[in-house]
């Protein structure tokens, strides 16, 4: 149950109901890692993931060639 504690907290807490797009760890708002904010890494991860599951370019958010 400890693994889901923060997710449950974020889903039911009225104290943070007005917050959107923030990162939480151990039921506390905290900064996300620098890598999680890196758009180049995000695109590379998305493209590799799309290849692994055989998505066609029109089925992806970015398209295989970033289009």
């Amino acid at each position: 149950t400890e693994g889901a504690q923060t997710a449950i907290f974020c889903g039911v807490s009225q104290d943070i109901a007005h917050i959107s797009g923030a990162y939480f760890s151990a039921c506390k708002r905290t900064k996300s890692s620098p890598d999680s904010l890196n758009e180049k890494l995000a695109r590379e991860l998305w493209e590799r993931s799309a290849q692994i599951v055989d998505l066609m370019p029109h089925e992806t958010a970015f398209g295989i060639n970033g289009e």
Side-chain angles (χ1 to χ4, degrees):
T1 60
E2 287 183 25
Q5 190 171 11
T6 299
I8 293 168
F9 168 77
C10 290
V12 301
S13 175
Q14 292 300 312
D15 295 337
I16 62 167
H18 64 285
I19 298 173
S20 177
Y23 180 77
F24 284 79
S25 180
C27 298
K28 295 178 183 167
R29 188 174 182 175
T30 188
K31 288 186 177 183
S32 186
S33 71
D35 283 343
S36 72
L37 303 173
N38 184 316
E39 290 185 28
K40 182 177 183 278
L41 286 177
R43 182 176 299 276
E44 290 171 0
L45 175 61
W46 179 264
E47 289 174 356
R48 182 65 182 125
S49 298
Q51 290 172 348
I52 289 169
V53 298
D54 292 325
L55 286 182
M56 300 300 293
H58 68 278
E59 296 176 306
T60 70
F62 297 116
I64 294 299
N65 296 317
E67 298 169 356

